[in-house]
Amino acid sequence: MSASPSTVQVIEARGLTRSFGDDRAVDRADLAVAAGQIHALVGLNGAGKTTLMKLLLDMLRPSSGSGWLLGDPVDGAGAAVWSRVGHLIETPFGYPELTVTENVVLAARLQGLDRPSARRESLLIVGELALDRWADRRSRVLSLGNRQRLGLACALVHEPQVLILDEPTNGLDPKGVLELRRLLLSRAHGAGVGILVSSHHLDEVARIADRITVMHRGRVVGVLDPDGVDLERRFFDMVYAAEQEGSWTQPSQPRP
């Protein structure tokens, strides 16, 4: 049986808002992720999921509200906090002229690991993500799925206590999705890592999530039970209800 998430919040959004001109991409979002919990963020394209993650990682500054990581405000977090955070947002990055192993070692070094530890941990995570065969290949020749694996390896190599992953299954084949599922469950329920993950795949997040939060046009509009039935229908019911009831500062989205 997996361990229950703790009550210690390692990721928090408190009234986070971000506007781009008249478009409020994130609108007073509240969210919390506990240590040992996998918290999934779902919504239609343009719902604000990636923007919210960027706010929590200090990649964007909020118009109002605040983000917190490991008990510290994001805007004042120092190296001691960021060295315990791993993330993969949008397109995975790898230096094209470096090999897979060199990229992962560099990521580990940037997170403060010494050379022997960086090398050791890099070999472990490359193996765990089934990148062994391509370990000595330059990243520019990797397939889309293996570039995604490389991005995940760089996010995980320093054994962070917090993980923020934006659509982490992008480009992965079915075997890769299973490997990632196993990895995230082991990190959360085995090592107590707090994980915030966004996805369009309700069936997949339901297999791993302890909590599912729904966003629509920048707002948190509800929560789904991962163990419930007919998640897709309940998701669309929630989104349509929010669309009819809300007064919006973000352009409407096409009905799927």
Side-chain angles (χ1 to χ4, degrees):
M1 180 179 294
S2 63
S4 299
S6 81
T7 57
V8 177
Q9 307 301 330
V10 295
I11 304 172
E12 293 181 81
R14 303 178 186 175
L16 270 179
T17 300
R18 172 66 192 222
S19 297
F20 298 95
D22 294 332
D23 179 2
R24 192 170 292 176
V26 174
D27 189 358
R28 295 165 292 175
D30 293 319
L31 180 138
V33 182
Q37 180 185 65
I38 300 176
H39 191 137
L41 197 59
V42 299
L44 302 177
N45 288 336
K49 305 182 299 295
T50 299
T51 302
L52 177 56
M53 288 180 158
K54 287 182 175 180
L55 291 167
L56 289 166
L57 289 164
D58 207 27
M59 294 176 177
L60 291 172
R61 294 299 176 90
S63 304
S64 61
S66 59
W68 295 72
L69 292 173
L70 296 160
D72 286 335
V74 167
D75 60 1
V81 171
W82 293 115
S83 65
R84 297 153 67 194
V85 176
H87 63 82
L88 177 60
I89 303 294
E90 295 181 324
T91 305
F93 176 78
Y95 291 100
E97 71 278 10
L98 298 183
T99 67
V100 166
T101 300
E102 288 168 343
N103 268 292
V104 182
V105 168
L106 179 59
R109 294 285 287 145
L110 288 171
Q111 293 290 0
L113 275 67
D114 59 34
R115 289 183 185 278
S117 298
R119 179 70 181 177
R120 181 181 65 251
E121 296 302 323
S122 296
L123 293 174
L124 289 173
I125 195 63
V126 164
E128 195 169 2
L129 283 164
L131 277 167
D132 314 61
R133 179 179 168 189
W134 296 274
D136 297 322
R137 302 272 184 93
R138 298 189 189 279
S139 68
R140 64 171 174 257
V141 305
L142 296 177
S143 67
L144 174 61
N146 283 331
R147 286 200 301 272
Q148 187 75 357
R149 283 183 168 92
L150 174 57
L152 290 164
C154 290
L156 288 157
V157 65
H158 58 297
E159 298 187 350
Q161 293 176 268
V162 168
L163 269 175
I164 298 179
L165 304 175
D166 186 23
E167 297 285 351
T169 59
N170 273 353
L172 296 181
D173 59 18
K175 181 174 181 289
V177 172
L178 290 173
E179 291 163 350
L180 179 62
R181 185 192 304 168
R182 174 189 53 77
L183 187 151
L184 294 182
L185 287 169
S186 70
R187 293 300 192 278
H189 299 163
V193 177
I195 301 174
L196 178 63
V197 56
S198 72
S199 181
H200 292 101
H201 303 294
L202 280 167
D203 56 341
E204 178 57 31
V205 298
R207 291 184 172 94
I208 63 171
D210 301 293
R211 183 179 179 87
I212 300 175
T213 290
V214 179
M215 288 189 74
H216 181 61
R217 291 218 263 168
R219 295 182 186 173
V220 171
V221 297
V223 175
L224 294 171
D225 177 5
D227 296 323
V229 297
D230 205 354
L231 275 181
E232 185 175 274
R233 180 186 60 79
R234 289 190 291 122
F235 166 77
F236 281 115
D237 286 348
M238 191 175 291
V239 167
Y240 294 151
E243 180 68 25
Q244 292 170 355
E245 295 168 5
S247 56
W248 302 103
T249 59
Q250 190 183 108
S252 64
Q253 297 162 334
R255 184 183 179 99

